[in-house]
Amino acid sequence: MTQADDKESYRAWLAKVNQLCGNFAARPLDGKFYGEIDSGYARGLKLSTVTTRGVNLYRSREEIKRGNDAWFYTVFQLEGQAVMEQDNRQVILEAGDITLIDAARPCSFYWQQTSRQVSLLLPRQKLEHLREISSAERLPNHLPMVQLSHRLLQESMTSPEMNENESEAALEAIICLLRPVLHQLDARPSRRDRQFQKIMALIDEYIQSEQLRPEWLASETGMSVRSLYRMFADKGLVVAQYIKNRRLDLCAQSLRNAHDDEKLAGIGYSWGFTDHSHFSTAFKQRFGLSPGEYRKRYR
Protein backbone atom coordinates (compact mmCIF):
# COMPACT_ATOMS: atom_id res chain seq x y z
CA MET A 1 0.00 0.00 0.00
CA THR A 2 1.38 3.44 -0.95
CA GLN A 3 1.69 6.42 1.37
CA ALA A 4 -1.23 8.05 -0.42
CA ASP A 5 -3.32 4.94 0.23
CA ASP A 6 -2.36 5.07 3.91
CA LYS A 7 -3.50 8.70 4.19
CA GLU A 8 -6.74 7.92 2.40
CA SER A 9 -7.37 4.95 4.72
CA TYR A 10 -6.66 7.18 7.74
CA ARG A 11 -9.08 9.90 6.55
CA ALA A 12 -11.80 7.36 5.75
CA TRP A 13 -11.44 5.75 9.18
CA LEU A 14 -11.67 9.11 10.99
CA ALA A 15 -14.71 10.12 8.92
CA LYS A 16 -16.46 6.89 9.89
CA VAL A 17 -15.57 7.42 13.57
CA ASN A 18 -17.19 10.86 13.39
CA GLN A 19 -20.23 9.41 11.69
CA LEU A 20 -20.78 6.61 14.20
CA CYS A 21 -19.36 7.90 17.51
CA GLY A 22 -19.62 11.68 17.42
CA ASN A 23 -17.09 14.40 16.60
CA PHE A 24 -13.42 13.52 17.14
CA ALA A 25 -10.06 14.73 15.87
CA ALA A 26 -6.98 12.53 15.47
CA ARG A 27 -3.23 12.56 15.05
CA PRO A 28 -0.96 9.70 13.94
CA LEU A 29 1.48 8.09 16.36
CA ASP A 30 4.80 6.43 15.59
CA GLY A 31 4.43 3.25 13.59
CA LYS A 32 2.12 2.17 10.80
CA PHE A 33 -1.53 3.15 11.10
CA TYR A 34 -4.31 0.59 10.90
CA GLY A 35 -7.96 1.29 11.52
CA GLU A 36 -11.33 -0.42 11.23
CA ILE A 37 -14.65 0.50 12.76
CA ASP A 38 -17.83 -1.53 12.54
CA SER A 39 -21.14 0.10 13.25
CA GLY A 40 -23.17 -1.58 15.79
CA TYR A 41 -26.75 -0.77 16.28
CA ALA A 42 -27.83 -4.04 17.86
CA ARG A 43 -31.37 -2.74 18.03
CA GLY A 44 -31.42 -0.58 21.18
CA LEU A 45 -27.68 -1.04 21.81
CA LYS A 46 -25.77 1.74 20.06
CA LEU A 47 -22.23 0.42 19.81
CA SER A 48 -19.15 0.39 17.61
CA THR A 49 -16.26 -2.06 17.40
CA VAL A 50 -12.94 -0.29 16.86
CA THR A 51 -9.79 -2.15 15.78
CA THR A 52 -6.83 0.17 15.35
CA ARG A 53 -3.20 1.02 16.05
CA GLY A 54 -0.79 3.93 15.62
CA VAL A 55 -3.25 6.74 16.30
CA ASN A 56 -4.36 9.20 18.99
CA LEU A 57 -8.08 9.96 18.83
CA TYR A 58 -9.22 12.93 20.90
CA ARG A 59 -12.23 15.12 21.61
CA SER A 60 -11.53 18.76 22.47
CA ARG A 61 -13.93 21.58 23.39
CA GLU A 62 -14.19 22.34 19.68
CA GLU A 63 -15.45 18.85 18.82
CA ILE A 64 -17.78 18.75 21.85
CA LYS A 65 -19.61 21.96 20.98
CA ARG A 66 -20.25 20.68 17.43
CA GLY A 67 -21.85 17.41 18.54
CA ASN A 68 -24.07 15.55 20.97
CA ASP A 69 -22.74 15.06 24.52
CA ALA A 70 -25.78 13.34 26.05
CA TRP A 71 -24.03 10.07 26.78
CA PHE A 72 -21.05 8.25 28.19
CA TYR A 73 -18.78 6.06 26.09
CA THR A 74 -18.67 2.73 27.91
CA VAL A 75 -15.48 1.16 26.59
CA PHE A 76 -15.17 -2.65 26.69
CA GLN A 77 -11.59 -3.69 25.90
CA LEU A 78 -11.57 -6.94 23.89
CA GLU A 79 -7.96 -7.39 22.77
CA GLY A 80 -4.63 -5.61 23.15
CA GLN A 81 -4.05 -2.46 25.19
CA ALA A 82 -5.43 1.07 25.08
CA VAL A 83 -4.72 4.27 27.00
CA MET A 84 -7.65 6.57 27.87
CA GLU A 85 -7.35 10.05 29.38
CA GLN A 86 -9.90 12.45 30.90
CA ASP A 87 -9.91 14.99 33.75
CA ASN A 88 -6.14 14.68 34.33
CA ARG A 89 -6.56 10.93 34.83
CA GLN A 90 -5.07 8.21 32.68
CA VAL A 91 -6.19 4.60 32.58
CA ILE A 92 -4.52 1.69 30.78
CA LEU A 93 -7.05 -0.89 29.62
CA GLU A 94 -6.21 -4.55 29.15
CA ALA A 95 -8.45 -7.21 27.63
CA GLY A 96 -11.59 -7.64 29.75
CA ASP A 97 -11.41 -4.19 31.41
CA ILE A 98 -14.09 -1.51 31.14
CA THR A 99 -14.01 2.27 31.58
CA LEU A 100 -16.45 5.17 31.21
CA ILE A 101 -15.63 8.33 29.26
CA ASP A 102 -17.88 11.39 29.47
CA ALA A 103 -18.76 12.72 26.00
CA ALA A 104 -19.33 16.19 27.51
CA ARG A 105 -15.69 16.68 28.54
CA PRO A 106 -12.40 16.56 26.60
CA CYS A 107 -10.85 13.11 26.32
CA SER A 108 -8.06 11.35 24.49
CA PHE A 109 -7.52 7.72 23.37
CA TYR A 110 -4.09 6.30 22.48
CA TRP A 111 -3.66 3.09 20.50
CA GLN A 112 0.06 2.47 20.07
CA GLN A 113 -0.23 -1.25 19.31
CA THR A 114 -3.14 -3.16 17.77
CA SER A 115 -6.19 -2.85 20.00
CA ARG A 116 -9.79 -3.98 19.68
CA GLN A 117 -12.60 -2.60 21.79
CA VAL A 118 -16.34 -2.01 21.79
CA SER A 119 -17.71 1.44 22.61
CA LEU A 120 -21.29 1.33 23.91
CA LEU A 121 -23.21 4.60 24.14
CA LEU A 122 -24.78 4.86 27.57
CA PRO A 123 -27.41 7.64 27.85
CA ARG A 124 -26.55 10.16 30.52
CA GLN A 125 -29.97 9.99 32.18
CA LYS A 126 -29.38 6.31 32.94
CA LEU A 127 -26.68 7.33 35.44
CA GLU A 128 -28.44 10.27 37.11
CA HIS A 129 -28.62 8.32 40.39
CA LEU A 130 -24.84 8.62 40.80
CA ARG A 131 -23.49 11.79 42.43
CA GLU A 132 -20.39 12.06 40.29
CA ILE A 133 -19.20 9.63 37.64
CA SER A 134 -15.46 9.04 37.83
CA SER A 135 -14.45 8.84 34.18
CA ALA A 136 -11.22 7.23 32.96
CA GLU A 137 -11.24 4.84 35.91
CA ARG A 138 -10.37 1.20 35.27
CA LEU A 139 -13.10 -1.32 36.07
CA PRO A 140 -10.79 -4.36 36.23
CA ASN A 141 -11.48 -7.62 34.44
CA HIS A 142 -11.27 -9.75 37.61
CA LEU A 143 -14.48 -8.26 39.08
CA PRO A 144 -17.48 -10.60 38.61
CA MET A 145 -19.81 -7.76 37.57
CA VAL A 146 -17.33 -6.63 34.91
CA GLN A 147 -16.97 -10.19 33.58
CA LEU A 148 -20.75 -10.62 33.39
CA SER A 149 -21.12 -7.26 31.61
CA HIS A 150 -18.61 -8.37 28.96
CA ARG A 151 -20.45 -11.64 28.43
CA LEU A 152 -23.84 -9.98 28.16
CA LEU A 153 -22.53 -7.43 25.67
CA GLN A 154 -20.95 -10.09 23.45
CA GLU A 155 -24.06 -12.28 23.62
CA SER A 156 -26.17 -9.30 22.58
CA MET A 157 -23.85 -8.49 19.67
CA THR A 158 -24.10 -12.05 18.32
CA SER A 159 -27.88 -12.38 18.67
CA PRO A 160 -29.42 -10.81 15.54
CA GLU A 161 -32.86 -12.11 16.46
CA MET A 162 -33.09 -9.72 19.45
CA ASN A 163 -35.91 -7.22 19.11
CA GLU A 164 -35.96 -3.59 20.27
CA ASN A 165 -37.43 -4.39 23.69
CA GLU A 166 -34.91 -7.18 24.32
CA SER A 167 -31.92 -5.03 23.40
CA GLU A 168 -33.21 -2.24 25.64
CA ALA A 169 -33.51 -4.80 28.44
CA ALA A 170 -29.91 -5.89 27.74
CA LEU A 171 -28.75 -2.27 28.10
CA GLU A 172 -30.57 -1.95 31.43
CA ALA A 173 -29.02 -5.24 32.57
CA ILE A 174 -25.50 -4.01 31.74
CA ILE A 175 -26.16 -0.84 33.74
CA CYS A 176 -27.43 -2.92 36.68
CA LEU A 177 -24.33 -5.11 36.57
CA LEU A 178 -21.97 -2.12 36.54
CA ARG A 179 -23.92 -0.09 39.11
CA PRO A 180 -22.26 -1.68 42.22
CA VAL A 181 -18.80 -0.98 40.79
CA LEU A 182 -19.74 2.57 39.83
CA HIS A 183 -21.21 3.17 43.30
CA GLN A 184 -17.85 2.17 44.80
CA LEU A 185 -16.14 4.76 42.60
CA ASP A 186 -18.82 7.32 43.46
CA ALA A 187 -18.23 6.77 47.18
CA ARG A 188 -14.56 7.64 46.89
CA PRO A 189 -13.42 11.20 47.58
CA SER A 190 -13.69 13.58 44.64
CA ARG A 191 -10.56 14.85 42.93
CA ARG A 192 -10.91 18.17 44.79
CA ASP A 193 -11.28 16.38 48.13
CA ARG A 194 -8.20 14.27 47.38
CA GLN A 195 -6.28 17.45 46.57
CA PHE A 196 -7.41 19.03 49.85
CA GLN A 197 -6.29 15.94 51.79
CA LYS A 198 -2.93 16.12 50.03
CA ILE A 199 -2.54 19.77 51.08
CA MET A 200 -3.43 18.96 54.70
CA ALA A 201 -0.83 16.18 54.74
CA LEU A 202 1.76 18.58 53.28
CA ILE A 203 1.00 21.11 56.03
CA ASP A 204 1.65 18.48 58.71
CA GLU A 205 4.83 17.35 56.97
CA TYR A 206 6.30 20.87 56.85
CA ILE A 207 4.64 22.32 59.96
CA GLN A 208 8.03 22.95 61.61
CA SER A 209 9.43 24.76 58.56
CA GLU A 210 9.58 28.54 58.24
CA GLN A 211 8.80 28.26 54.53
CA LEU A 212 5.31 26.90 55.21
CA ARG A 213 3.15 29.75 53.93
CA PRO A 214 0.12 29.90 51.58
CA GLU A 215 2.31 31.00 48.66
CA TRP A 216 4.67 28.05 49.14
CA LEU A 217 1.76 25.62 49.52
CA ALA A 218 0.16 26.85 46.30
CA SER A 219 3.43 26.50 44.43
CA GLU A 220 4.08 22.98 45.75
CA THR A 221 0.61 21.76 44.77
CA GLY A 222 0.40 23.47 41.37
CA MET A 223 -2.39 25.87 42.37
CA SER A 224 -2.82 29.60 42.31
CA VAL A 225 -2.89 31.28 45.73
CA ARG A 226 -6.43 32.41 44.97
CA SER A 227 -7.56 28.82 44.27
CA LEU A 228 -5.91 27.67 47.50
CA TYR A 229 -7.78 30.30 49.55
CA ARG A 230 -11.04 29.39 47.81
CA MET A 231 -10.55 25.68 48.55
CA PHE A 232 -10.07 26.40 52.28
CA ALA A 233 -12.97 28.87 52.29
CA ASP A 234 -15.24 26.12 50.94
CA LYS A 235 -14.38 24.17 54.11
CA GLY A 236 -15.00 27.20 56.34
CA LEU A 237 -11.26 27.73 56.90
CA VAL A 238 -8.63 30.38 56.29
CA VAL A 239 -5.37 28.73 55.22
CA ALA A 240 -2.95 30.99 57.14
CA GLN A 241 -5.12 30.79 60.28
CA TYR A 242 -5.31 27.00 59.97
CA ILE A 243 -1.50 26.72 59.77
CA LYS A 244 -1.07 28.98 62.81
CA ASN A 245 -3.65 27.09 64.85
CA ARG A 246 -2.16 23.75 63.87
CA ARG A 247 1.24 24.96 65.08
CA LEU A 248 -0.27 26.26 68.33
CA ASP A 249 -2.02 22.94 68.99
CA LEU A 250 1.26 21.08 68.53
CA CYS A 251 3.01 23.60 70.80
CA ALA A 252 0.37 22.95 73.48
CA GLN A 253 0.95 19.21 73.13
CA SER A 254 4.72 19.75 73.58
CA LEU A 255 4.17 22.02 76.58
CA ARG A 256 2.12 19.36 78.36
CA ASN A 257 5.14 17.06 78.16
CA ALA A 258 7.89 19.66 78.61
CA HIS A 259 10.36 19.75 81.50
CA ASP A 260 10.54 22.83 83.71
CA ASP A 261 13.98 23.76 82.40
CA GLU A 262 12.94 23.58 78.75
CA LYS A 263 12.84 27.07 77.21
CA LEU A 264 9.43 28.24 76.05
CA ALA A 265 10.92 30.16 73.14
CA GLY A 266 12.64 26.95 71.97
CA ILE A 267 9.34 25.05 71.96
CA GLY A 268 7.68 27.79 69.90
CA TYR A 269 10.63 27.93 67.52
CA SER A 270 10.55 24.16 66.98
CA TRP A 271 7.00 24.50 65.62
CA GLY A 272 7.70 27.40 63.27
CA PHE A 273 7.31 30.48 65.53
CA THR A 274 10.48 32.51 65.05
CA ASP A 275 9.29 35.44 67.19
CA HIS A 276 8.71 34.59 70.86
CA SER A 277 6.52 37.61 71.52
CA HIS A 278 4.25 36.70 68.60
CA PHE A 279 4.17 33.07 69.77
CA SER A 280 3.20 34.04 73.32
CA THR A 281 0.45 36.43 72.14
CA ALA A 282 -1.02 33.96 69.65
CA PHE A 283 -0.92 31.14 72.21
CA LYS A 284 -2.79 33.18 74.83
CA GLN A 285 -5.42 34.20 72.26
CA ARG A 286 -6.06 30.54 71.44
CA PHE A 287 -5.87 28.92 74.87
CA GLY A 288 -6.54 31.80 77.31
CA LEU A 289 -3.19 31.20 79.06
CA SER A 290 0.38 32.17 78.33
CA PRO A 291 2.70 29.27 77.33
CA GLY A 292 4.30 29.39 80.81
CA GLU A 293 0.96 29.29 82.61
CA TYR A 294 -0.22 26.50 80.34
CA ARG A 295 2.82 24.38 81.12
CA LYS A 296 2.35 24.86 84.89
CA ARG A 297 -1.28 23.85 84.68
CA TYR A 298 -0.73 20.69 82.65
CA ARG A 299 2.70 19.52 83.72
Side-chain angles (χ1 to χ4, degrees):
M1 186 180 286
T2 66
Q3 189 173 13
D5 290 333
D6 279 345
K7 288 182 179 179
E8 184 58 35
S9 174
Y10 176 80
R11 284 195 291 266
W13 175 82
L14 182 57
K16 197 168 183 182
V17 168
N18 280 275
Q19 177 189 348
L20 298 176
C21 303
N23 291 311
F24 281 88
R27 61 173 68 92
L29 301 175
D30 293 338
K32 190 176 179 61
F33 165 77
Y34 174 83
E36 286 183 4
I37 179 167
D38 297 321
S39 149
Y41 280 78
R43 301 292 184 181
L45 297 177
K46 298 178 177 62
L47 49 88
S48 302
T49 303
V50 179
T51 307
T52 191
R53 70 167 175 261
V55 66
N56 166 213
L57 188 70
Y58 61 93
R59 188 168 162 87
S60 69
R61 295 288 180 194
E62 185 64 29
E63 284 74 43
I64 291 168
K65 72 182 182 184
R66 290 190 287 108
N68 191 347
D69 61 1
W71 58 68
F72 285 83
Y73 300 105
T74 314
V75 181
F76 293 74
Q77 188 71 18
L78 302 181
E79 299 173 12
Q81 187 182 83
V83 177
M84 311 268 145
E85 293 181 349
Q86 190 164 61
D87 295 338
N88 298 318
R89 281 196 296 273
Q90 183 184 87
V91 61
I92 300 175
L93 296 184
E94 305 285 352
D97 293 342
I98 299 175
T99 195
L100 266 69
I101 299 293
D102 190 346
R105 304 202 297 277
C107 59
S108 191
F109 306 161
Y110 294 86
W111 296 291
Q112 192 73 57
Q113 304 299 325
T114 302
S115 166
R116 184 166 173 262
Q117 59 188 204
V118 174
S119 179
L120 172 65
L121 297 186
L122 189 59
R124 186 176 299 279
Q125 67 268 21
K126 300 283 187 182
L127 298 175
E128 286 179 345
H129 60 283
L130 292 175
R131 176 176 57 84
E132 179 183 344
I133 297 296
S134 296
S135 56
E137 292 272 11
R138 176 175 172 253
L139 309 185
N141 54 32
H142 64 81
L143 296 178
M145 295 299 108
V146 172
Q147 294 172 4
L148 287 170
S149 299
H150 260 277
R151 286 181 210 155
L152 180 54
L153 178 76
Q154 292 179 340
E155 286 289 333
S156 302
M157 292 170 64
T158 55
S159 301
E161 67 277 8
M162 284 179 64
N163 60 37
E164 189 75 28
N165 288 336
E166 289 170 338
S167 60
E168 181 65 28
L171 180 64
E172 292 291 343
I174 289 172
I175 294 170
C176 287
L177 287 170
L178 293 178
R179 185 171 290 138
V181 188
L182 294 173
H183 267 302
Q184 289 175 19
L185 294 178
D186 186 49
R188 296 190 323 191
S190 67
R191 183 163 60 94
R192 187 172 175 81
D193 285 340
R194 290 196 299 271
Q195 188 176 28
F196 182 73
Q197 290 166 8
K198 178 182 175 183
I199 291 169
M200 298 299 267
L202 198 63
I203 288 173
D204 274 356
E205 183 179 354
Y206 287 90
I207 196 69
Q208 293 176 290
S209 172
E210 290 182 43
Q211 68 181 347
L212 180 59
R213 292 184 177 89
E215 296 77 13
W216 179 86
L217 264 180
S219 174
E220 285 296 301
T221 52
M223 302 176 67
S224 68
V225 176
R226 183 178 179 182
S227 295
L228 180 71
Y229 276 108
R230 188 183 304 121
M231 178 179 283
F232 272 73
D234 289 344
K235 305 286 185 181
L237 300 169
V238 176
V239 58
Q241 187 68 42
Y242 174 83
I243 292 171
K244 184 171 79 170
N245 287 344
R246 182 70 177 137
R247 282 173 164 157
L248 289 169
D249 291 345
L250 291 167
C251 284
Q253 182 178 318
S254 296
L255 285 167
R256 289 196 295 270
N257 300 309
H259 297 295
D260 287 345
D261 58 353
E262 197 167 346
K263 291 185 178 179
L264 298 175
I267 292 173
Y269 186 82
S270 69
W271 292 110
F273 289 98
T274 55
D275 183 283
H276 179 63
S277 176
H278 171 64
F279 164 56
S280 185
T281 301
F283 192 93
K284 189 166 186 177
Q285 286 174 343
R286 183 156 178 78
F287 296 103
L289 299 169
S290 70
E293 292 168 337
Y294 187 92
R295 178 169 59 180
K296 288 178 183 177
R297 176 173 293 188
Y298 289 99
R299 69 181 176 184

